[in-house]
Amino acid sequence: MTVDRWAELVRHQVRLGRLLPLGGPRDGAWITEEAAGEVLRRAAADGAPGVRLGALRIGLADPRDVPEPVVPAPPSALPPGPLRVAADFAATAAEPLPTAASRLRLVLAGAATERLGLAVTEIDLRATDLLEPDAPAAPAAGAPQPPPAHEPVGTDGITVAEAALAVPGVLRLTGSLGGRGRAVHIEEYAEAAALPRRHLRVEVATAASHRAVDVARQVRAAVRDALPDHPTVAVLVTAVD
């Protein structure tokens, strides 16, 4: 691997941000912070005129007491638990800043719940600038697209890919995590006093017209039922288009 290719892979992994839990501990689904942030930015641009969203971070509201997920999580993923959104914003002087913040908070909370399925319980906003009354809306740059997945390998890999792609709301498979270009990751793990069993992780991009957590749940069920040993399945959403 060339130095330039390695540097690009590192930049891509950093850009993904945290892997955030979608839904609750029984959902076995995660989404990249990059993908979730892009959905929240689009919602703010559409639903909060006169406000411009700045830096945005999403993390656990209280990392001290979170449940374990029912399936093994992706590497370095946050455990399922209530989330906190922290963001900077700029607004015009047409209304008091607390009023603008309240409007933005409602938009972000609605998008997190209704478009994604994130369990957001706290939204902390900080006003960092004033906009001119006739300031144009910030251009929608859009997040970089995750790399497309390589062709699946082996009979099981092909079966999993076909089952995931058949779920309504799945646009394509992606190969983001780890820089290996694979959408289907198959491994074995052992539970206490039990025989080893297989665990799968599937990476997908979902349609904005479908709630991300609902699509992830359906992908989990479809992939599990497509294989005779009914392995455990985790789903990672890397883009919402």
Side-chain angles (χ1 to χ4, degrees), residues 120-201:
V120 172
T121 58
E122 299 179 20
I123 300 180
D124 293 338
L125 300 177
R126 182 180 67 164
T128 56
D129 200 2
L130 283 176
L131 300 175
E132 294 297 327
D134 55 352
Q145 289 296 310
H150 297 163
E151 290 295 321
V153 176
T155 302
D156 285 351
I158 294 171
T159 298
V160 168
E162 291 176 345
L165 288 170
V167 171
V170 173
L171 296 178
R172 61 189 179 278
L173 303 182
T174 64
S176 293
L177 198 59
R180 299 178 180 178
R182 288 187 293 154
V184 179
H185 303 254
I186 302 176
E187 59 188 20
E188 282 196 356
Y189 75 99
E191 297 176 319
L195 294 174
R197 65 179 303 181
R198 292 200 299 173
H199 173 68
L200 278 65
R201 186 177 76 246

Side-chain angles (χ1 to χ4, degrees), residues 4-230:
D4 289 345
R5 175 59 177 160
W6 177 255
E8 175 59 28
L9 289 176
V10 171
R11 285 193 295 270
H12 174 70
Q13 294 301 306
V14 171
R15 196 168 59 231
L16 291 178
R18 298 161 172 162
L19 302 187
L20 309 172
L22 270 177
R26 301 192 63 81
D27 288 310
W30 284 263
I31 185 170
T32 64
E33 187 177 11
E34 178 185 52
E38 180 62 18
V39 171
L40 297 186
R41 290 184 182 283
R42 291 200 299 260
D46 294 340
V51 176
R52 184 177 296 173
L53 195 60
L56 184 149
R57 289 289 281 169
I58 309 172
L60 290 173
D62 185 357
R64 295 172 299 178
D65 184 21
V66 291
E68 288 293 324
V70 295
V71 300
S76 73
L78 296 181
L83 297 172
R84 173 180 177 268
V85 175
D88 296 341
F89 75 97
T92 68
E95 61 184 345
L97 286 175
T99 302
S102 294
R103 286 197 297 116
L104 179 58
R105 186 174 288 108
L106 286 174
V107 168
L108 295 178
T113 300
E114 297 163 13
R115 302 188 187 185
L116 295 173
L118 293 175
V120 172
T121 58
E122 299 179 20
I123 300 180
D124 293 338
L125 300 177
R126 182 180 67 164
T128 56
D129 200 2
L130 283 176
L131 300 175
E132 294 297 327
D134 55 352
Q145 289 296 310
H150 297 163
E151 290 295 321
V153 176
T155 302
D156 285 351
I158 294 171
T159 298
V160 168
E162 291 176 345
L165 288 170
V167 171
V170 173
L171 296 178
R172 61 189 179 278
L173 303 182
T174 64
S176 293
L177 198 59
R180 299 178 180 178
R182 288 187 293 154
V184 179
H185 303 254
I186 302 176
E187 59 188 20
E188 282 196 356
Y189 75 99
E191 297 176 319
L195 294 174
R197 65 179 303 181
R198 292 200 299 173
H199 173 68
L200 278 65
R201 186 177 76 246
V202 184
E203 295 183 23
V204 298
T206 65
S209 57
H210 291 66
R211 190 167 177 247
V213 69
D214 296 333
V215 176
R217 289 168 180 156
Q218 293 177 54
V219 170
R220 285 190 66 214
V223 169
R224 180 191 64 224
D225 295 343
L227 296 175
D229 58 337
H230 302 302

